Amino acid sequence: MKKTTVTLVDVAKLAGVSVMTASRALNDDESASKKAREKVRLAAQELGYTPNTLARMMKGGRTNVIGVIVNDLSSVVVNAFATAVSDAVRKYDMDLFIYSSQTGLEHGKGQQMSQLLHGLWDGLIYVLPRLSPDYLKQLEADTSHPVVLLNYCRETSLPVVRADNQSGAHDAVSHLVELGHRRIAFVSGTAHTGQSPERELGYRSALESAGLPLAPELMREGDFNEISGLEAGRALLALSEPPTAIFAANDSMAMGCMTAVREKGLRIPEDISIIGFDDIPMAGAIQPGLTTLRQPVAAMAQAAVQELMRRIQNQPGRRQRIEFPSEFIIRGSAGPAAGKRTRARRAGV
Amino acid sequence: MKKTTVTLVDVAKLAGVSVMTASRALNDDESASKKAREKVRLAAQELGYTPNTLARMMKGGRTNVIGVIVNDLSSVVVNAFATAVSDAVRKYDMDLFIYSSQTGLEHGKGQQMSQLLHGLWDGLIYVLPRLSPDYLKQLEADTSHPVVLLNYCRETSLPVVRADNQSGAHDAVSHLVELGHRRIAFVSGTAHTGQSPERELGYRSALESAGLPLAPELMREGDFNEISGLEAGRALLALSEPPTAIFAANDSMAMGCMTAVREKGLRIPEDISIIGFDDIPMAGAIQPGLTTLRQPVAAMAQAAVQELMRRIQNQPGRRQRIEFPSEFIIRGSAGPAAGKRTRARRAGV
DNA sequence: GTGAAAGCGCTAACAG
DNA sequence: CTGTTAGCGCTTTCAC
């Protein structure tokens, strides 16, 4: 029967001081003599002591844990954010947990979540493009725990770090227009995340500025996954008058579209131009490179963590809403519209 | 100044019973009168009471939380496992946290991890193909916390749930041999995960069984990412005598290879056959479909959770090592070797 | 069946 | 500078 956990009491005993002194020493409290600190540190090391975070947080003290709440880990972007946050957190010497709730927060059950491990974390970062109104309301009401929303696209009084989707999308589509494209398709992602609608707004406004009509048959609904892009691409190319350019609400779908184009034996960008959104790693690696928009993920994650830490440390938050511009990355997948209007008909392929 | 947390004391007060009775009632303890249980339940509901997991675990009780330790969330496979575990856990009405440690567990610092939140979770699932020997030893020594390794590929006395990589790879390469291929390339993943070496063993054994030589120039090192597959593919195709088939240690790299093949203007599978490993969603969606091997991720995750729950509940673990066969999924990306040996030379492309 | 007391491991608050 | 006291919210004795 081994003693399984070594507690602060053990350390104090070994160091020959009181528990309190040990506590202070390990927390680098100024009001502990250097000698004592050293003794305690050694004792702790010898015993392989690890502070019991649980006990610490019971006292309402800092836990040095930041939580990230995520709904869909399989999403490349969510992943990228989670990873970026993970990196950013490291700088503050905090630990990080990811709580993955597929549906939890959206369908009422989330009620419990915010309190579930109440006290476990010093602060919470939500990486959910979507949040149920109820849950959001709860979150806004609960001021006892610092919270930052990352990549959240709707209105809220909570601090938000996000990218400018709309003007990014506007830029992309305008670029296509300048290249001479007139029939520009849009492949949307799932509508409930604020992301896709915003990008669609940019698409619409760019068309409008250019005086181009909005063709319903050129707007396809995807779900942010590559497969849906593939299907949308196939459908678009099967039109009697297919588009000469496709703007997809994210890179995965854009790559699906590229696959669809190649299946048809068409070339990119000579026959069809394609633009995505997100600048996932593959975008730069393929031939031709995918023209796309980059959200400064790392910078955003850093900003989110920084804002959160500020609040955790009771410093005044800097801003309620930090918006990063999306950077337009021009690669080879978008080119001039084929001057040859010889496409005419290619039925039955 | 609102009272922010509602505690068991509040519930007990409202229900007009002692704290203890309330505790018992909420835990469905038999030794609480039905009437009391009902009263307490109502009071709890009215107050919106959520048990403080922290306090509960301080007493060493169950926390109903399972932890998943992961090193690289950006890996599709790790992700798939994490998601699958997440699903599996849900059935047991447990909560789930993912702890993402980029390097923590591998570089000594991990010492602390196992104890870091000692008591936070009832059990831990490690989804790390790799684990430092030191850390593994610690883990094996610490019997106080139930642990299951998922997708771990090296020797250990801890319970492991894994897929059979080697014979899967053997099958794939043998299949290529049967299709008449003689120059079969292998693109490996990062060597430190047990995965890739095992798949390589299958590759080697299949070649050996077929009496084919092992050509060093046909073995390329990747890192499991699509980009590395693309690069490996380019390099292989640039050989004076390129392979007629490529077996990649995972699907992402296989897809990178496909891109490389298409860049060259070659066709799949007429000119080059390609086989991957993992059966990620895209594998079945592209044209032609990617022939690959599927790890039964969901089943594996379920088995892992089940084993873990068994141990958490102090039931005898079923087995120390549960191995799932990899399923060979034949799609269109691997075909007969070109009978035409007219490839001869294609230098300088 | 129920309740009172003790204490999990730690740290704020106050003494010394 | 250091130690003592108290208590976080809950559950585990052990009485009643």
Side-chain angles (χ1 to χ4, degrees):
Chain A
M1 172 121 159
K2 297 171 205 165
K3 179 157 190 164
T4 148
T5 34
V6 28
T7 88
L8 194 53
V9 179
D10 303 321
V11 177
K13 209 172 289 171
L14 184 75
V17 296
S18 82
V19 190
M20 204 47 234
T21 311
S23 168
R24 282 195 269 257
L26 290 176
N27 289 317
D28 269 340
D29 191 321
E30 292 304 332
S31 64
S33 70
K34 263 202 134 179
K35 206 189 291 180
R37 278 199 260 180
E38 203 44 47
K39 260 195 303 185
V40 173
R41 201 188 314 269
L42 280 167
Q45 188 152 18
E46 184 173 335
L47 265 45
Y49 167 77
T50 24
N52 184 329
T53 313
L54 277 34
R56 182 178 292 169
M57 59 203 180
M58 276 221 48
K59 285 299 290 181
R62 292 265 311 268
T63 62
N64 291 329
V65 173
I66 284 183
V68 174
I69 312 268
V70 144
N71 60 351
D72 177 18
L73 263 181
S74 38
S75 146
V76 181
V77 179
V78 170
N79 236 294
F81 276 114
T83 308
V85 168
S86 170
D87 289 344
V89 162
R90 223 167 289 278
K91 287 181 197 144
Y92 290 89
D93 208 28
M94 307 277 287
D95 261 293
L96 180 117
F97 282 115
I98 298 168
Y99 180 84
S100 163
S101 86
Q102 313 271 26
T103 55
L105 306 182
E106 289 139 15
H107 299 25
K109 195 193 160 192
Q111 287 221 350
Q112 312 196 331
M113 235 325 277
S114 100
Q115 294 228 325
L116 173 64
L117 286 178
H118 214 242
L120 205 182
W121 23 58
D122 292 341
L124 233 35
I125 295 181
Y126 283 82
V127 187
L128 303 167
R130 171 200 196 183
L131 223 52
S132 84
D134 286 357
Y135 191 70
L136 185 63
K137 219 168 287 171
Q138 271 189 46
L139 228 51
E140 289 173 335
D142 176 11
T143 53
S144 57
H145 295 280
V147 162
V148 171
L149 305 184
L150 179 52
N151 201 28
Y152 184 71
C153 289
R154 302 203 184 279
E155 273 318 307
T156 170
S157 64
L158 293 168
V160 168
V161 175
R162 37 160 300 162
D164 183 346
N165 289 291
Q166 186 172 345
S167 66
H170 184 98
D171 291 350
V173 176
S174 298
H175 180 245
L176 289 172
V177 170
E178 280 163 25
L179 287 171
H181 294 277
R182 290 294 168 267
R183 284 187 68 73
I184 303 173
F186 176 68
V187 182
S188 67
T190 42
H192 57 253
T193 88
Q195 231 82 283
S196 182
E198 291 199 344
R199 292 171 189 176
E200 186 173 327
L201 279 179
Y203 166 76
R204 286 167 183 268
S205 72
L207 288 191
E208 195 173 353
S209 324
L212 292 174
L214 202 67
E217 78 272 16
L218 291 185
M219 302 185 62
R220 299 284 158 169
E221 195 169 324
D223 63 2
F224 283 130
N225 291 313
E226 193 163 350
I227 297 176
S228 71
L230 177 61
E231 286 160 1
R234 284 177 183 156
L236 287 168
L237 296 175
L239 289 174
S240 59
E241 197 177 353
T244 63
I246 303 177
F247 172 51
N250 78 349
D251 283 353
S252 295
M253 295 194 297
M255 302 197 58
C257 289
M258 292 178 103
T259 305
V261 169
R262 297 222 168 88
E263 276 178 13
K264 267 268 194 183
L266 299 176
R267 290 159 309 158
I268 300 166
E270 291 82 355
D271 300 312
I272 306 268
S273 287
I274 294 186
I275 296 185
F277 207 119
D278 286 345
D279 193 33
I280 62 177
M282 263 313 276
I286 53 175
Q287 285 292 344
L290 178 63
T291 292
T292 186
L293 289 132
R294 176 190 299 157
Q295 306 190 51
V297 174
M300 288 168 69
Q302 259 171 47
V305 172
Q306 193 180 328
E307 277 300 302
L308 188 65
M309 288 305 293
R310 230 176 247 287
R311 280 154 221 272
I312 289 174
Q313 291 159 1
N314 264 320
Q315 296 168 28
R318 208 196 311 248
R319 278 174 291 168
Q320 276 311 104
R321 182 190 169 98
I322 305 182
E323 190 156 298
F324 284 80
S326 301
E327 188 186 351
F328 191 32
I329 312 284
I330 299 186
R331 298 206 180 89
S333 68
K340 43 162 188 182
R341 288 250 162 262
T342 20
R343 197 176 323 90
R345 194 114 314 174
R346 196 179 341 230
V349 178
Chain B
M1 172 122 156
K2 300 171 203 162
K3 175 152 191 171
T4 148
T5 35
V6 28
T7 88
L8 194 53
V9 179
D10 303 321
V11 176
K13 210 172 290 172
L14 184 75
V17 296
S18 81
V19 189
M20 206 43 239
T21 311
S23 168
R24 282 195 270 256
L26 290 175
N27 289 319
D28 270 339
D29 191 319
E30 292 304 333
S31 66
S33 70
K34 263 203 135 178
K35 206 188 292 180
R37 277 199 260 180
E38 202 45 44
K39 261 194 303 185
V40 173
R41 202 189 313 271
L42 280 167
Q45 190 153 14
E46 184 173 334
L47 265 46
Y49 168 78
T50 22
N52 184 327
T53 313
L54 277 35
R56 183 179 291 169
M57 59 202 179
M58 274 222 46
K59 289 299 289 183
R62 293 261 315 264
T63 63
N64 292 328
V65 173
I66 284 183
V68 175
I69 312 272
V70 145
N71 59 352
D72 177 17
L73 263 181
S74 39
S75 146
V76 181
V77 178
V78 169
N79 238 294
F81 275 115
T83 308
V85 168
S86 170
D87 290 343
V89 162
R90 225 167 289 277
K91 287 182 196 143
Y92 289 89
D93 207 27
M94 307 277 287
D95 261 292
L96 180 118
F97 282 102
I98 298 168
Y99 180 83
S100 163
S101 86
Q102 313 271 28
T103 54
L105 306 181
E106 289 138 13
H107 298 25
K109 195 193 161 191
Q111 287 222 352
Q112 311 196 332
M113 235 326 277
S114 99
Q115 296 227 327
L116 175 63
L117 285 179
H118 215 244
L120 204 183
W121 22 59
D122 291 341
L124 235 34
I125 294 181
Y126 283 82
V127 188
L128 303 167
R130 170 198 195 185
L131 223 52
S132 84
D134 285 357
Y135 190 71
L136 185 63
K137 219 169 285 171
Q138 271 189 45
L139 229 50
E140 289 174 335
D142 176 12
T143 53
S144 57
H145 295 281
V147 163
V148 170
L149 306 185
L150 179 52
N151 200 30
Y152 184 72
C153 288
R154 302 203 183 278
E155 274 316 308
T156 170
S157 63
L158 293 168
V160 169
V161 174
R162 37 160 300 162
D164 183 347
N165 289 290
Q166 184 172 346
S167 66
H170 184 99
D171 292 350
V173 177
S174 298
H175 180 244
L176 289 171
V177 171
E178 281 162 25
L179 287 171
H181 293 277
R182 290 295 169 266
R183 285 185 69 74
I184 303 173
F186 176 69
V187 182
S188 67
T190 41
H192 57 252
T193 88
Q195 233 82 284
S196 181
E198 290 199 344
R199 292 171 188 176
E200 184 173 329
L201 280 179
Y203 166 78
R204 286 167 182 269
S205 72
L207 289 190
E208 194 173 355
S209 325
L212 292 174
L214 203 66
E217 78 272 16
L218 292 184
M219 302 185 62
R220 297 285 158 168
E221 196 170 323
D223 63 4
F224 283 131
N225 291 313
E226 193 164 348
I227 297 176
S228 71
L230 176 62
E231 284 161 1
R234 284 176 183 155
L236 286 168
L237 296 175
L239 289 175
S240 59
E241 197 177 353
T244 63
I246 303 177
F247 172 52
N250 77 349
D251 283 352
S252 294
M253 294 194 298
M255 302 197 58
C257 288
M258 291 177 103
T259 305
V261 169
R262 297 221 169 88
E263 276 179 13
K264 267 270 195 182
L266 298 176
R267 290 158 310 159
I268 300 167
E270 291 81 355
D271 300 313
I272 306 268
S273 287
I274 294 186
I275 296 185
F277 208 118
D278 287 343
D279 193 33
I280 61 177
M282 264 313 276
I286 54 176
Q287 285 291 347
L290 178 62
T291 292
T292 186
L293 289 131
R294 174 190 301 156
Q295 305 190 51
V297 174
M300 288 168 70
Q302 259 171 48
V305 173
Q306 193 179 330
E307 277 300 303
L308 189 64
M309 288 304 293
R310 232 177 245 288
R311 280 154 221 271
I312 289 174
Q313 291 158 1
N314 264 319
Q315 295 168 27
R318 207 195 315 245
R319 279 174 289 167
Q320 276 311 103
R321 182 190 168 99
I322 305 181
E323 190 156 299
F324 284 80
S326 302
E327 189 186 350
F328 191 33
I329 312 284
I330 300 186
R331 298 205 181 89
S333 69
K340 45 163 188 181
R341 288 250 162 264
T342 20
R343 196 175 327 89
R345 194 114 316 176
R346 196 180 341 229
V349 178

